[in-house]
Amino acid sequence: MRVNNILTNINFELLSNESGLNHEVKSFFASDLLSHVMGNAAEGSTLITVLNNINVLGVASLLDMSCVIFSHGVKVNDEIISKSNELGIPILRTKLNTVSTILILDKIGS
Amino acid sequence: MENYCKEFKIQKNDIGNAGTVASLTKRELKRRGLTKDFVKTVTIGIYEAEINVVIHSYGGTCVVSIDDEFVNVTFKDNGPGIECIDSALTPGFSTASHYAIENGFGAGMGLPNIKSVSDEMELTSSKEGTTLHMKFNISGDSYES
């Protein structure tokens, strides 16, 4: 599955520009603690989180993650969006909670 | 390849810039042809330590040196020191502030993560400051084939 495929579902909106939409989503990782993400998330994975600060992109970049999805409709400021554009790691947002997000992503991927 | 040595300054509570040392070191390690896994290991260790200096200390420095055999990274801060190093090394133990937790840190996994990714780790601390040294061994397998 690629990031593009996720966007075909009505629940997800693209917040960043279109760079990186071709990234392969190799797996998913959900966490709101960056040390857990850093210690456990795999390269190419997509992060699902409600943690809306700039360090999320820093960690995503270090781990070469494919995409970041903000769940629960959290507010995402311009600084995060411009960092995402600079790094080429797309960010999406959904109003769904984290569990529902994962269930829908599983359906999209199958 | 030529030896690399760079010193960085880290400011207290400067969460927005935390990760700079990790990302610049990542670039250098990639340039030297080291594998993705090796680069990830080193950068996780550095990032965690950077965060620690930002959220727990009064600020400090980091020196990264790379030669053909090792990556050596030394963080030194200006206090206030770690009260109990054994507790600090226990996964889940945390003294992090509300500010750190709001920013996604302070889960008590920083030092345990650093210990697990590095080949050697040395941590000393007093009220005047904490020094963390981590060492990563470079072998033939560390390079992209």
Side-chain angles (χ1 to χ4, degrees), chain A residues 37-81:
Chain A
V37 178
M38 206 136 42
N40 299 290
E43 182 203 333
S45 59
T46 279
L47 176 66
I48 304 142
T49 187
V50 296
L51 191 64
N52 52 351
N53 71 57
I54 195 84
N55 301 100
V56 171
L57 269 305
V59 170
S61 162
L62 283 183
L63 297 180
D64 295 316
M65 295 183 107
S66 47
C67 174
V68 175
I69 301 176
F70 291 103
S71 56
H72 287 264
V74 292
K75 198 168 180 286
V76 179
N77 66 31
D78 291 345
E79 192 191 5
I80 297 176
I81 294 170

Side-chain angles (χ1 to χ4, degrees), chain B:
Chain B
M1 201 172 267
E2 80 287 355
N3 293 352
Y4 169 93
C5 187
K6 206 165 163 71
E7 181 170 341
F8 303 87
K9 277 204 162 53
I10 303 167
Q11 309 287 341
K12 177 187 178 179
N13 282 344
D14 187 11
I15 281 214
N17 280 315
T20 305
V21 183
S23 90
L24 291 174
T25 307
K26 180 182 179 182
R27 196 182 301 168
E28 173 63 17
L29 293 169
K30 274 183 161 175
R31 193 186 70 81
R32 298 172 87 93
L34 291 148
T35 64
K36 279 185 172 177
D37 281 348
F38 184 86
V39 175
K40 183 180 164 184
T41 301
V42 175
T43 48
I44 285 175
I46 294 178
Y47 196 99
E48 291 283 14
E50 262 187 285
I51 294 295
N52 278 347
V53 175
V54 169
I55 68 176
H56 291 295
S57 85
Y58 303 141
T61 58
C62 171
V63 176
V64 178
S65 63
I66 308 169
D67 57 32
D68 291 335
E69 286 179 276
F70 306 105
V71 178
N72 278 292
V73 186
T74 305
F75 284 87
K76 275 186 188 163
D77 70 36
N78 306 318
I82 299 171
E83 209 167 290
C84 175
I85 286 185
D86 280 347
S87 300
L89 286 167
T90 306
F93 177 87
S94 176
T95 59
S97 65
H98 186 66
Y99 169 73
I101 291 166
E102 255 187 0
N103 281 284
F105 302 107
M109 293 308 295
L111 285 171
N113 274 354
I114 291 169
K115 201 174 176 188
S116 83
V117 294
S118 56
D119 290 301
E120 275 176 47
M121 170 182 146
E122 209 180 291
L123 180 64
T124 52
S125 188
S126 72
K127 279 180 185 162
E128 285 69 45
T130 297
T131 301
L132 169 75
H133 177 233
M134 48 186 143
K135 191 172 185 173
F136 302 86
N137 302 336
I138 300 176
S139 68
D141 292 344
S142 312
Y143 288 97
E144 295 283 3
S145 49

Side-chain angles (χ1 to χ4, degrees), chain A residues 13 15 32 35 46 48 65 68 70 75 91 94 98 102 110:
Chain A
E13 60 168 324
L15 300 181
D32 304 318
S35 285
T46 279
I48 304 142
M65 295 183 107
V68 175
F70 291 103
K75 198 168 180 286
I91 46 178
T94 174
T98 300
I102 294 166
S110 59

